[in-house]
Amino acid sequence: MHPWKTALSATALLAVTAPAFAQEVNLYSSRHYDSDDALYEEFTEKTGITINRIEANADELIARMEAEGANSPADVFMTVDVGRVGRAVDAGLLQPFESDVIETNVPPHLRHPENLWTGLSQRARIIYYSKERVENPPRTYEALADPMYEGQVCIRSSSNIYNQSLLASIIEVHGEETAKEWAAGVVDNMARDPQGGDTDQLRGIVSGECDIAVANTYYYVRGLAGEVDGLTSGIDDIGWVWPNQGGRGAHVNLATAGIAKNAPNPDAATALLEFLVSEDAQEQFANANNEYPVLSGVGMNEHVAQLGIFIPDSTTPTSAFSENAAQAQAIFNEVGWN
């Protein structure tokens, strides 16, 4: 991770304590964590702004905002993964924010280049392996396609947004042909047909079905922090690799939020985004959910800290994750990545 920034700016402190411009903000969120509830209550206490939350998956919320049109009550759209928020950008559903607080607190590679959304927390997509069965694990995403790992890799299906964004980044860095060769190589190296979520890929290492897996850090840390069936009991055998540390860095999935194009309460929406990237809020938003904060200087919780810090991919444009998504899915289909 890049060196952490230090203190929260005085501007940010003012932003979360100043009198509210509106008494409510309507949050459309695909993020479903009880740990966020206390944070929203704190925001209301500090600003007097009530949060009205509507929860559904990202595609459902995007469809709802499109159907509501200019009359949509949505103020803030929140989701996980740049590929998903990219769909809202492509649909013209977000407006740029103007905030010195966000631009100061959130590094450029963790927000949209035209300020249509900001990152709120990070989950790196990294490589895991069996300490007992793998002496030389792959050190890069590209190496996952090396024939030496034939029959060893567990990874989710091609319909998963995390994998779509990862392949989209490879398309951006290496071009379509190389990306196609990589995807075909990973298929050849699969220990089983893609199935389940990220936790199931890690369980595959514990059960011995696979020796190598790809998953977001959040899912591994959950197994460290609490009892996860089929994972925690064997988690000590799982090692990890921060990929591409000598090159472009590790691919990061972000929790993101942006202001809706037709937001009836844009000032309150900006206040909420600024609050969520403030120091106190970052400690809760990221750490309570076993994620990495986007604000430098915020300490990691003890379980995330066991994974340590890393160099993220700060050079590949995040806009490429959505721009190359259709191309990525076409490649997946062509090489038989189900």
Side-chain angles (χ1 to χ4, degrees):
M1 189 77 70
H2 292 311
W4 295 111
K5 294 177 189 173
T6 55
L8 178 66
S9 68
T11 307
L13 289 171
L14 290 171
V16 298
T17 57
F21 294 97
Q23 293 304 306
E24 65 178 10
V25 61
N26 301 312
L27 171 63
Y28 281 30
S29 176
S30 65
R31 183 179 158 106
H32 314 290
Y33 301 113
D34 293 339
S35 58
D36 292 346
D37 291 344
L39 198 58
Y40 297 144
E41 291 175 5
E42 182 181 341
F43 171 75
T44 298
E45 291 175 3
K46 288 188 172 183
T47 65
I49 302 172
T50 299
I51 297 177
N52 304 315
R53 188 167 22 150
I54 293 176
E55 292 186 348
N57 71 47
D59 289 337
E60 290 173 342
L61 293 172
I62 288 170
R64 176 170 179 156
M65 292 168 70
E66 288 181 310
E68 291 168 341
N71 296 318
S72 175
D75 291 308
V76 172
F77 173 68
M78 181 185 295
T79 189
V80 177
D81 193 82
V82 172
R84 289 192 180 106
V85 75
R87 295 171 187 171
V89 171
D90 293 342
L93 296 176
L94 302 179
Q95 62 172 289
F97 56 77
E98 294 183 7
S99 170
D100 292 339
V101 173
I102 297 173
E103 292 188 15
T104 297
N105 289 8
V106 183
H109 70 280
L110 299 181
R111 49 185 164 84
H112 189 272
E114 297 175 3
N115 285 342
L116 292 176
W117 52 260
T118 182
L120 302 175
S121 59
Q122 306 180 73
R123 305 172 178 184
R125 191 151 191 77
I126 69 173
I127 298 168
Y128 300 88
Y129 64 95
S130 167
K131 294 177 183 177
E132 292 183 359
R133 301 186 298 274
V134 180
E135 292 184 5
N136 299 301
R139 297 290 170 183
T140 65
Y141 299 111
E142 291 79 3
L144 288 165
D146 191 311
M148 71 180 291
Y149 301 117
E150 182 179 359
Q152 298 184 55
V153 177
C154 281
I155 191 168
R156 288 176 75 161
S157 74
S158 63
S159 63
N160 173 247
I161 190 68
Y162 300 143
N163 284 341
Q164 290 172 4
S165 293
L166 177 59
L167 181 53
S169 74
I170 292 173
I171 292 170
E172 187 70 15
V173 172
H174 296 295
E176 182 178 0
E177 285 306 313
T178 299
K180 188 184 302 181
E181 292 172 4
W182 175 82
V186 173
V187 171
D188 289 341
N189 288 346
M190 287 182 182
R192 65 186 184 193
D193 290 337
Q195 57 186 263
D198 275 16
T199 303
D200 295 300
Q201 315 317 309
L202 296 169
R203 287 182 175 126
I205 295 177
V206 175
S207 69
E209 276 191 273
C210 49
D211 299 327
I212 297 165
V214 178
N216 286 351
T217 49
Y218 159 81
Y219 298 94
Y220 176 82
V221 176
R222 279 203 314 173
L224 286 175
E227 189 63 36
V228 176
D229 185 50
L231 174 58
T232 303
S233 61
I235 204 164
D236 289 341
D237 178 48
I238 299 177
W240 62 88
V241 170
W242 293 106
N244 298 72
Q245 296 300 276
R248 64 188 174 104
H251 179 78
V252 170
N253 297 117
L254 297 173
T256 64
I259 299 176
K261 178 182 179 180
N262 299 301
N265 306 299
D267 292 322
T270 301
L272 177 58
L273 296 190
E274 291 180 342
F275 171 76
L276 290 173
V277 301
S278 67
E279 186 172 25
D280 288 344
Q282 279 284 289
E283 288 182 357
Q284 283 184 255
F285 192 88
N287 287 337
N289 200 44
N290 299 312
E291 298 171 287
Y292 284 83
V294 297
L295 174 65
S296 297
V298 175
M300 297 175 286
N301 78 30
E302 60 177 308
H303 305 294
V304 174
Q306 289 186 53
L307 279 178
I309 60 174
F310 64 99
I311 299 171
D313 182 353
S314 60
T315 59
T316 307
T318 54
S319 57
F321 301 167
S322 56
E323 291 170 359
N324 297 338
Q327 193 176 10
Q329 190 61 64
I331 289 175
F332 280 138
N333 295 343
E334 185 174 345
V335 302
W337 187 324
N338 298 326

